[in-house]
Amino acid sequence: GEDVEQSLFLSVREGDSSVINCTYTDSSSTYLYWYKQEPGAGLQLLTYIFSNMDMKQDQRLTVLLNKKDKHLSLRIADTQTGDSAIYFCADQTGANNLFFGTGTRLTVIP
Amino acid sequence: EPEVTQTPSHQVTQMGQEVILRCVPISNHLYFYWYRQILGQKVEFLVSFYNNEISEKSEIFDDQFSVERPDGSNFTLKIRSTKLEDSAMYFCASSEARAQPQHFGDGTRLSIL
């Protein structure tokens, strides 16, 4: 089955850029997603990219997709303390369900 | 902004009891989903629902699970005879159409004693 992997932890200083990486295995991905989960809260859809795109920018967020290497990244510019959360990468294949990574816990140091 | 709402936020149940988790999807969405996240593990797909029937389900979604849309707004997940290993966070999600972004609720934390 599909396997989505992320590193578990990332620490950055406030004001720096954060880059969260994700790899996946399924070649038939349609959309790839980034969700944010704050403590005690649900999964907030941050952004997504269609599989035939290379890049998508949305304010401070930039998503890069390398389909050949099956690599997805999320860059957060000017990271703020409010960005501290767990970030989940998710892959939507030909089936309608999402496959999630383990989540990356981003800690922003003031 | 419209959102998916789930109740209760926390449910504690004795092993062997039935439990019903409730969700109100976003009103113009047509596809509904349940996922679960066991503590320390990945979020896993359970089931998707469209046009009043299950469209896809995972291996996890066995005979002890069922879903229903009892009225025009609610979408429920029933676990018939709960086991300790059913303890998890259960997330409901909805999307406008197939292969469209899925919007999640805040989840219900289910604790089986």
Side-chain angles (χ1 to χ4, degrees):
Chain A
E2 167 69 323
D3 191 24
V4 180
E5 296 294 335
Q6 302 175 238
S7 52
L8 291 179
F9 302 100
L10 176 66
S11 291
V12 298
R13 293 210 171 273
E14 191 174 14
D16 287 350
S17 291
S18 309
V19 179
I20 303 171
N21 295 300
C22 172
T23 57
Y24 59 97
T25 56
D26 198 310
S27 309
S28 62
S29 298
T30 52
Y31 286 94
L32 293 121
Y33 298 86
W34 285 104
Y35 287 87
K36 176 183 180 184
Q37 186 179 38
E38 296 184 65
L43 296 166
Q44 176 197 350
L45 177 62
L46 274 184
T47 187
Y48 61 96
I49 188 167
F50 189 50
S51 58
N52 68 353
M53 295 171 63
D54 298 324
M55 187 181 92
K56 180 178 179 181
Q57 187 147 4
D58 183 2
Q59 299 181 342
R60 290 192 299 124
L61 305 179
T62 304
V63 179
L64 295 178
L65 175 60
N66 182 327
K67 202 170 177 185
K68 175 175 162 288
D69 293 340
K70 299 190 182 70
H71 182 268
L72 180 76
S73 67
L74 173 70
R75 179 176 178 271
I76 305 172
D78 185 26
T79 314
Q80 303 298 306
T81 53
D83 295 324
S84 292
I86 300 176
Y87 290 80
F88 290 93
C89 164
D91 176 24
Q92 185 165 40
T93 64
N96 202 22
N97 47 292
L98 302 182
F99 291 89
F100 282 82
T102 49
T104 299
R105 183 180 295 275
L106 173 65
T107 302
V108 182
I109 304 162
Chain B
E1 185 176 321
E3 57 182 28
V4 176
T5 55
Q6 291 186 243
T7 53
S9 55
H10 192 188
Q11 173 81 45
V12 181
T13 301
Q14 290 287 332
M15 188 173 61
Q17 296 295 305
E18 175 183 284
V19 67
I20 296 176
L21 309 182
R22 298 179 196 281
C23 169
V24 179
I26 294 173
S27 61
N28 64 332
H29 285 189
L30 300 178
Y31 280 80
F32 315 123
Y33 313 84
W34 285 101
Y35 291 79
R36 79 171 184 193
Q37 184 181 29
I38 295 171
L39 189 63
Q41 297 185 25
K42 293 184 180 183
V43 177
E44 302 170 290
F45 168 75
L46 292 178
V47 65
S48 62
F49 191 86
Y50 169 71
N51 201 27
N52 279 320
E53 59 183 31
I54 291 173
S55 57
E56 283 145 17
K57 61 181 181 178
S58 71
E59 290 173 356
I60 304 167
F61 194 86
D62 61 22
D63 291 345
Q64 69 160 342
F65 291 94
S66 62
V67 288
E68 195 179 28
R69 188 157 165 80
D71 54 43
S73 59
N74 288 285
F75 177 53
T76 61
L77 174 69
K78 183 193 290 186
I79 309 175
R80 259 180 274 284
S81 176
T82 49
K83 304 192 272 274
L84 292 176
E85 53 265 37
D86 294 327
S87 294
M89 181 73 92
Y90 287 80
F91 291 105
C92 175
S94 68
S95 64
E96 280 186 46
R98 184 180 171 80
Q100 289 298 302
Q102 296 179 19
H103 296 263
F104 283 75
D106 283 345
T108 293
R109 182 172 298 283
L110 178 63
S111 300
I112 307 300
L113 304 179

